[in-house]
Amino acid sequence: GVIPGLQTRVINLDRSPDRLARIATDLDQIGLEWSRLRAVEPDAAGNTEQFLYNRKTAMRLHGIDLTRGEIGCFASHVQALKEFLDGNAAALLVLEDDAEPDAAFAQGLTQSLDTLRNLPDLRWSCLNLAANYHKRNRPLAPAGDRMLLRAYYFPISTAGLLWSRTGAQSFLRHVATAGACLPVDQQLRRHLAQTGLGLAYDRPLLRLRAEKSTIDERPASRRQFARVRRNLPNYLHAALHHLRRT
């Protein structure tokens, strides 16, 4: 139930009690201690200033405004990191409420923490438990039946993230400087491509439910040029770190 040094938070909107009930059942069945984080939802008037939304950079990188749901999701993850750093836990597990943790996940989570503790010289910020990316990575160590990878091009998903304290501090500093200018999964990839401190597995550890997203549907009119301009620095940073094998 209690994993020493680990804090677990589940991000959930007030208007999604059914989703909370499902993941609560899963977590209680595997005996993992956790607490709910009330997801941020900007008001209908679009009052987003308090969430560090950088509209100018968002338009340059994304070609269109972030939706209220994207901004709220970003702000929720930032809140989880801030509350984590206010406490004494050594690591933070952040789950979104479409995650489906089971007994295999619980075992894999314990193996993940043991593996990271047995690599005291490893510098890392965030381990993606819910997604992988088969390029621009290198093996670090086995963890159960999976291989822990240095993920130079961090997978796109924030459904299950394991954070170190230094990683949380680094990402919050980045957000304080750059503001929220991309959806949080894309901005996290951008940040970790720059630092080279992202981790993932060769196969995802965490399953996801086939739930409809609670984030507003993104318009289809995002400019292709903006997409290329947004992703090109990620490719370059990831390739450089991969060549250096940092």
Side-chain angles (χ1 to χ4, degrees), residues 88-162:
N88 299 316
L92 169 68
L93 173 63
V94 178
L95 299 174
E96 295 178 350
D97 61 10
D98 60 344
E100 191 175 8
D102 55 14
F105 170 75
Q107 181 181 15
L109 177 61
T110 301
Q111 291 169 337
S112 300
L113 293 166
D114 288 344
T115 300
L116 292 168
R117 292 188 188 104
N118 290 330
L119 297 170
D121 295 329
L122 178 68
R123 297 176 61 230
W124 68 283
S125 289
C126 187
L127 167 58
N128 197 319
L129 301 173
N132 64 339
Y133 187 78
H134 293 291
K135 298 179 181 179
R136 301 176 186 88
N137 59 56
R138 70 178 175 90
L140 293 175
D145 62 351
R146 287 172 170 76
M147 179 61 67
L148 182 67
L149 306 174
R150 176 70 79 187
Y152 299 109
Y153 200 68
F154 197 69
I156 286 290
S157 174
T158 53
L161 300 176
L162 183 66

Side-chain angles (χ1 to χ4, degrees), residues 60-92:
R60 177 172 60 84
L61 294 176
H62 224 32
I64 198 168
D65 265 321
L66 298 188
T67 67
R68 287 195 303 124
E70 287 171 334
I71 295 170
C73 181
F74 201 124
S76 300
H77 280 271
V78 166
Q79 184 64 30
L81 297 181
K82 288 180 176 179
E83 293 181 8
F84 164 53
L85 293 177
D86 285 341
N88 299 316
L92 169 68

Side-chain angles (χ1 to χ4, degrees), residues 202-214:
D202 57 341
R203 291 179 291 119
L205 185 62
L206 180 65
R207 296 187 305 180
L208 304 182
R209 285 189 175 83
E211 301 268 17
K212 183 178 180 180
S213 175
T214 54

